[in-house]
Amino acid sequence: MSFIVYLAIIMLLPLYAQFKVKNTYNRYVKVRSTSGMTGAQVARLILDRNGLEDVKVVESKGFLSDHYNPLTKTVALSSQNYHEASVAGTAIAAHEVGHAIQDAEAYAFLRFRHRLAPVANITSNASWIFIIAGMLLTIPMAKSLLGLGIAFMAVGVLFQIVTLPVEFNASSRAMNQIVELGIIRNEEEPHAKKVLSAAAMTYVAATAVAVMELARLLLIFTNKE
């Protein structure tokens, strides 16, 4: 694979994933859910039905800024999803509650990701310092610096990989909850799945790019004298 083709892939893949999630969201946020429940109401209902009355549901500023904070036990929903009743908002609210349920059940991958996160933040930020130094310097220890940078990057890649089962599991829990609780009807299920699948693609794309870059650097390392 030429470097130009490689560069095109790692640039276009994340862009396509972002386009896909925005396009899918913008389509189904306009489809009103038959339940008539806002995202905030959906989140509150699922939380209460799972014994998580202590978890708060709050509004979050910004486009698709929805997330779950395990430290504050808070499900934060972007303004549109928080206030409006749509298929997209229902799916996303349920997904974030899926993370709250994972947290309550001590889901192994979620716990591992939380422990890995602070380490990955440090090593990911520091990795390129050593990688660039190892590739540009001609000192005897240059290859060692490159190897250290790659090892640091590998921690960040591991974090990306561990994120995948966390996100897929949260989406699976979300679909189960909104179906079992009758929040959506049969004809709405495919639409909700499309929203969740599009969102998952962003994580898949990020992981694919990270793995490809790590593999490229490992190849450089093995060929470096």
Side-chain angles (χ1 to χ4, degrees):
M1 182 188 298
S2 70
F3 180 71
I4 298 299
V5 174
Y6 167 80
L7 190 62
I9 292 174
I10 66 171
M11 290 178 64
L12 293 178
L13 191 58
L15 288 175
Y16 173 73
Q18 288 294 330
F19 166 78
K20 184 69 175 178
V21 69
K22 287 182 180 180
N23 185 60
T24 304
Y25 175 79
N26 287 333
R27 178 181 178 184
Y28 290 108
V29 76
K30 297 174 184 177
V31 179
R32 183 175 174 81
S33 59
T34 53
S35 69
M37 298 175 65
T38 65
Q41 291 171 330
V42 169
R44 186 72 269 157
L45 174 62
I46 299 175
L47 287 168
D48 291 347
R49 291 294 179 89
N50 285 271
L52 299 177
E53 292 85 358
D54 59 321
V55 177
K56 300 184 293 294
V57 181
V58 300
E59 182 179 357
S60 173
K61 301 300 181 182
F63 178 72
L64 289 180
S65 56
D66 313 81
H67 63 278
Y68 169 68
N69 189 327
L71 298 179
T72 60
K73 306 298 182 186
T74 301
V75 170
L77 301 177
S78 54
S79 296
Q80 195 164 22
N81 293 332
Y82 186 92
H83 291 288
E84 297 181 13
S86 69
V87 171
T90 294
I92 291 173
H95 175 88
E96 299 309 331
V97 173
H99 287 309
I101 298 173
Q102 287 175 336
D103 189 23
E105 295 181 357
Y107 180 59
F109 282 108
L110 183 68
R111 285 283 185 250
F112 181 51
R113 188 180 73 166
H114 286 168
R115 294 191 182 98
L116 188 62
V119 179
N121 285 336
I122 295 172
T123 58
S124 295
N125 291 330
S127 64
W128 284 105
I129 297 174
F130 295 100
I131 290 171
I132 293 173
M135 293 177 69
L136 297 181
L137 298 179
T138 57
I139 59 177
M141 63 181 300
K143 187 171 183 178
S144 297
L145 291 174
L146 177 59
L148 182 59
I150 292 173
F152 279 4
M153 176 181 280
V155 178
V157 174
L158 176 61
F159 178 81
Q160 296 273 24
I161 293 172
V162 172
T163 295
L164 293 180
V166 173
E167 295 300 327
F168 286 129
N169 180 263
S171 290
S172 177
R173 291 172 185 267
M175 286 304 303
N176 289 339
Q177 290 292 326
I178 58 181
V179 170
E180 290 175 6
L181 295 176
I183 297 173
I184 63 173
R185 294 181 178 177
N186 292 340
E187 62 270 21
E188 294 174 303
E189 287 185 42
H191 305 324
K193 287 179 179 178
K194 286 180 181 179
V195 173
L196 295 174
S197 295
M201 186 179 292
T202 60
Y203 295 101
V204 173
T207 302
V209 168
V211 170
M212 288 174 63
E213 183 63 10
L214 180 62
R216 185 181 74 87
L217 290 171
L218 284 171
L219 185 60
I220 293 174
F221 177 78
T222 56
N223 292 328
K224 187 176 179 63
E225 297 180 355

